[in-house]
Amino acid sequence: GLAGLVFFGATLAAGLPMFTPEMGAAVAGIGATAGVVTQVFARASKYSLFDPAKEMVYIEMDADEKKQGKAAVDLVGSQIGKSGASWITQAFLLGCGSIAAAMPFTGLIFACVIITWIQATWSLHRQMQQTEQTRLAAAAAASNSGGSSSSSNGDNSGPEGG
């Protein structure tokens, strides 16, 4: 947010006529540095937070489900998501005439996507809890039935009973 603001502000300010070419170059350098910082933090958060969280979804799945799930998420999430966002942005720009006029509509779409994402995350959380409770109940039932099957069944044909 702040680094992006500095980047765009410095880039626009560098072209103002009140700056000498040297001053404009210095301001553009500040803008470029802010852009680099933004990209570094964006990539760091993606690889350290988003990707591991995305992989956690596949923990409870078997190998075939993981393969199908990853293919669907990579196709839908990456390709269709990026293409859809660019189409929506272009439609708003063409319909509104400028970035400033399109910004409220873009912000509204962004807020809707964030709300939907949070709801989907909570739904997945509830599903994972139910799956874990079912798995734990099945494991407890199996250990209880496994313990009773090892008890004596009254057959004395073993080495001690014979």
Side-chain angles (χ1 to χ4, degrees):
L2 180 61
L5 181 65
V6 171
F7 171 73
F8 287 115
T11 303
L12 292 173
L16 293 176
M18 65 182 189
F19 289 118
T20 64
E22 294 83 17
M23 291 172 62
V27 172
I30 292 170
T33 302
V36 168
V37 168
T38 300
Q39 287 298 314
V40 167
F41 281 116
R43 297 293 179 221
S45 63
K46 178 191 183 304
Y47 293 124
S48 64
L49 299 173
F50 178 72
D51 287 351
K54 184 177 76 168
E55 293 299 318
M56 287 174 60
V57 172
Y58 306 114
I59 290 174
E60 296 291 324
M61 297 180 179
D62 62 21
D64 190 42
E65 287 176 329
K66 282 183 185 179
K67 184 171 64 172
Q68 291 175 350
K70 284 184 179 186
V73 167
D74 288 343
L75 175 68
V76 173
S78 297
Q79 304 305 316
I80 295 175
K82 289 177 185 176
S83 298
S86 65
W87 278 103
I88 290 169
T89 303
Q90 287 299 316
F92 285 147
L93 285 175
L94 290 172
C96 296
S98 71
I99 293 175
M103 197 59 70
F105 300 108
T106 306
L108 181 65
I109 295 293
F110 179 72
C112 291
V113 168
I114 293 297
I115 290 168
T116 304
W117 184 267
I118 290 170
Q119 289 173 340
T121 303
W122 278 110
S123 174
L124 180 62
H125 174 70
R126 286 190 299 273
Q127 290 174 14
M128 292 285 288
Q129 282 184 328
Q130 290 173 351
T131 301
E132 185 66 16
Q133 288 173 354
T134 304
R135 187 184 67 77
L136 290 174
S143 68
N144 288 340
S145 66
S148 63
S149 67
S150 64
S151 64
S152 176
N153 59 5
D155 184 11
N156 290 334
S157 62
E160 296 93 19

